[in-house]
Amino acid sequence: TMIAGIYGMNFDTRAGPLSIVTRPAMAENDEVPAYRSIQEMIEGGLAWLERATMISPHYAQGIYARAWTETLSGSGLEGREHVDLAMRLSPLDPLYYAMLGTRAFTHMVQGEDAAATEWSERAARAPGAHVLIAMIAAASHTLSGDAARAAAWAANVRERSPSLGRADFFRA
């Protein structure tokens, strides 16, 4: 399933979240090492997060960061397990909306579109939700085939931050 046209977010989550940073032009321009470098950074960061959460198993932010990193690396089920733990450990966390968004992303990675839309809606409507969370909602609705909801969330993103794009999502 492709996400087409929403802020240049043309990617197939079934191929893994990092497929977002790969494009046919990369192979032509011999930029594939850049992709490997990103994957290596994620794997290196994950190793540190695994160690940190072993040392401090009740550190919700560390567990949330681990969940996000696992999900980005394509391990949606492990990410889901850890983000659920982070939400249980810190239900009043100021970044709870981000945890909900990560939960949505775990469903996107697993191809569970209906669940992804439910969690992304919760995330985007949560108190303090950042505009990037609305991008997750737009993407999840696109994947589920709900063009009207996807367009509504994309309009929400454009209204809040007109120049926001795919690169901003991954830079954050």
Side-chain angles (χ1 to χ4, degrees):
T1 305
M2 297 298 288
I3 295 177
I6 298 177
Y7 302 101
M9 292 173 51
N10 299 318
F11 64 97
D12 182 350
T13 57
R14 279 31 162 217
L18 286 179
S19 66
I20 296 165
V21 298
T22 61
R23 323 180 288 281
M26 289 183 85
E28 295 169 15
N29 294 331
D30 199 28
E31 295 178 19
V32 174
Y35 171 79
R36 281 194 291 267
S37 175
I38 292 169
Q39 183 66 39
E40 289 167 4
M41 286 188 300
I42 287 174
E43 289 169 3
L46 184 55
W48 280 104
L49 289 165
E50 287 170 350
R51 282 183 237 144
T53 54
M54 282 176 43
I55 292 168
S56 184
H58 299 288
Y59 181 45
Q61 283 300 308
I63 294 167
Y64 154 69
R66 179 178 178 177
W68 175 249
T69 305
E70 287 169 334
T71 304
L72 273 180
S73 70
S75 299
L77 294 178
E78 290 85 356
R80 186 175 308 161
E81 178 182 323
H82 288 116
V83 77
D84 286 349
L85 175 59
M87 289 189 293
R88 284 193 308 274
L89 289 171
S90 190
L92 300 176
D93 198 292
L95 290 176
Y96 197 77
Y97 67 87
M99 294 178 191
L100 293 168
T102 298
R103 182 63 146 83
F105 204 46
T106 69
H107 289 287
M108 291 170 71
V109 169
Q110 294 301 120
E112 301 164 351
D113 299 337
T117 60
E118 291 173 29
W119 284 94
S120 69
E121 286 278 339
R122 285 181 61 189
R125 295 181 187 286
H130 191 277
V131 65
L132 296 174
I133 305 300
M135 289 180 86
I136 294 173
S140 72
H141 282 288
T142 299
L143 287 170
S144 72
D146 188 345
R149 291 299 302 145
W153 281 112
N156 176 282
V157 172
R158 276 192 290 279
E159 180 181 304
R160 293 165 65 186
S161 186
S163 64
L164 194 67
R166 170 181 60 181
D168 300 304
F169 183 86
F170 286 98
R171 194 173 17 259

